[in-house]
């Protein structure tokens, strides 16, 4: 076997081992250059199927095809050298059977060289999670609000607001843990319930609009950068990138119109 001297990339077992330790930092990422920047600060990057809404302007994540996930997964893998890269399985690519899930997840792993996949669903996906992990594919589970079920749920709303709803969500988290998931996203799960689940299961919980006591947090990168036109109420914006882009483009337009535009010295060399 050849020896690799490059920096070691974070693995799914590394993330699994972080249960109860230093909070896990993660973001979504869809393209190479921002992945390279985020790579210096995060433990894992998720190529989320949210890219359908964020990058491609779909109304939901449902239209996203597997090939698009693979294309963005490859871009993020080219940009990030240290973080674990997790690629989301899009709607329709895994729910039918464990065999369908393995066939498509294996394509994702082979064609992107990512270290894990994520799929939505608790108890109903347990058999599939076991099937994939037993065959070498690490799985991040995703319970609570599962956006691929939008047509059943009716709207993107917090889950577990009524105590009567808690038992089913707790069971989902417990069952995906027993099935072998290395971590689980808790999306829009009521704060006390997310905190309770984090104590109950022995894999890391990754919160998004859930609880500060989760083992880690994830946000959609464009949302926290201030680039998305509409963001969920829980999102804290750490930048105003949308405004910066608008300002820069307006300045560019002014330069073009006033002919204050730099020419080339014919070498087309790159700025150092
Ligand atoms: O698709 C996505 O970006 C996600 C995160 C919001 C967890 O699933």
């Amino acid at each position: 076997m050849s020896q690799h001297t490059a920096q070691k990339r974070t693995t799914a077992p590394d993330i699994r081992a972080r249960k109860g330790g230093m909070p896990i930092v993660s973001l979504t990422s869809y393209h190479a250059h921002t992945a390279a920047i985020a790579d210096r600060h995060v433990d894992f990057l998720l190529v989320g199927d949210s890219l359908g809404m964020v990058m491609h302007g779909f109304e939901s994540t449902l239209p996203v095809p597997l090939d698009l996930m693979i294309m963005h997964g490859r871009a993020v893998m080219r940009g990030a050298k240290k973080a674990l890269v997790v690629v989301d399985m899009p709607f329709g690519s895994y729910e039918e059977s464990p065999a369908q899930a393995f066939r498509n997840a294996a394509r994702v792993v082979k064609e992107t060289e990512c270290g894990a996949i994520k799929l939505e669903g608790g108890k109903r996906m347990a058999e599939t999670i076991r099937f994939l992990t037993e065959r070498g594919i690490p799985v991040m589970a995703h319970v609570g609000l599962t956006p691929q079920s939008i047509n059943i749920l009716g709207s993107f709303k917090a889950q577990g607001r009524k105590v009567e709803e808690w038992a089913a969500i707790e069971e989902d988290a417990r069952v995906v843990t027993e099935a072998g998931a290395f971590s689980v996203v808790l999306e829009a799960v009521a704060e006390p319930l997310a905190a309770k689940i984090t104590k109950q299961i022995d894999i890391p919980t990754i919160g998004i609009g859930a609880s500060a006591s989760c083992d880690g947090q994830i946000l959609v990168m464009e949302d926290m950068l201030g680039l998305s036109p509409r963001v969920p109420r829980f999102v804290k914006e750490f930048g105003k990138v949308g405004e910066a882009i608008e300002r820069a483009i307006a300045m560019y337009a002014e330069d073009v119109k006033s002919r204050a535009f730099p020419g080339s010295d014919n070498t087309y060399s790159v700025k150092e």
Side-chain angles (χ1 to χ4, degrees):
M1 188 188 286
S2 68
Q3 291 291 312
H4 292 276
T5 49
Q7 183 177 27
K8 184 182 170 297
R9 193 187 279 279
T10 302
T11 64
D14 293 335
I15 297 295
R16 168 76 183 76
R18 295 273 295 272
K19 177 70 189 179
M22 181 68 88
I24 297 162
V25 182
S26 63
L27 281 172
T28 63
S29 181
Y30 317 126
H31 93 295
H33 295 165
T34 47
I37 296 169
D39 194 40
R40 298 195 277 273
H41 305 279
V42 302
D43 297 300
F44 76 85
L45 288 170
L46 171 69
V47 185
D49 65 348
S50 53
L51 66 81
M53 299 170 77
V54 176
M55 300 277 296
H56 296 274
F58 293 126
E59 285 293 314
S60 76
T61 57
L62 300 182
V64 174
L66 186 64
D67 286 342
L68 193 63
M69 296 306 301
I70 290 174
M71 190 178 288
H72 284 283
R74 291 174 66 168
V76 171
M77 281 295 290
R78 282 193 290 267
K81 300 293 173 221
K82 173 182 79 61
L84 170 69
V85 174
V86 182
V87 177
D88 238 348
M89 297 299 290
F91 178 68
S93 70
Y94 64 96
E95 303 89 328
E96 198 177 313
S97 65
Q100 182 214 23
F102 183 80
R103 196 165 49 250
N104 287 326
R107 253 198 84 195
V108 169
V109 171
K110 274 176 185 287
E111 293 178 33
T112 68
E113 299 185 75
C114 70
I117 61 96
K118 176 168 84 59
L119 51 78
E120 293 185 9
K123 199 172 162 190
R124 68 190 160 85
M125 292 314 302
E127 190 191 346
T128 295
I129 293 171
R130 188 179 302 284
F131 194 88
L132 296 186
T133 53
E134 284 177 350
R135 286 160 181 77
I137 301 182
V139 178
M140 178 176 285
H142 182 155
V143 307
L145 174 63
T146 48
Q148 292 175 10
S149 305
I150 184 64
N151 288 335
I152 300 289
L153 297 171
S155 65
F156 295 119
K157 57 176 183 283
Q159 305 293 299
R161 282 184 300 183
K162 297 192 190 116
V163 177
E164 306 86 86
E165 297 166 3
W166 285 22
I169 303 171
E170 286 177 69
E171 190 184 9
D172 278 342
R174 184 178 52 75
V175 170
V176 299
T177 304
E178 287 165 4
F182 71 93
S183 64
V184 57
V185 170
L186 303 181
E187 180 164 359
V189 169
E191 204 282 331
L193 175 58
K196 187 169 182 226
I197 290 173
T198 299
K199 286 206 193 97
Q200 283 170 344
I201 62 174
D202 66 2
I203 58 172
T205 57
I206 309 296
I208 174 161
S211 167
S213 57
C214 286
D215 298 294
Q217 300 294 330
I218 189 162
L219 283 176
V220 170
M221 193 189 294
E222 282 72 0
D223 291 356
M224 56 77 76
L225 288 178
L227 189 52
S228 303
R230 281 170 51 231
V231 295
R233 210 170 312 147
F234 63 81
V235 171
K236 181 172 170 188
E237 287 187 3
F238 292 83
K240 299 215 173 292
V241 174
E243 285 176 26
I245 291 175
E246 171 94 50
R247 250 194 329 273
I249 293 175
M251 280 159 57
Y252 163 75
E254 277 313 307
D255 270 17
V256 172
K257 286 183 221 158
S258 60
R259 300 191 188 281
F261 206 73
S264 158
D265 61 4
N266 289 331
T267 59
Y268 223 88
S269 57
V270 174
K271 275 186 194 166
E272 292 304 329

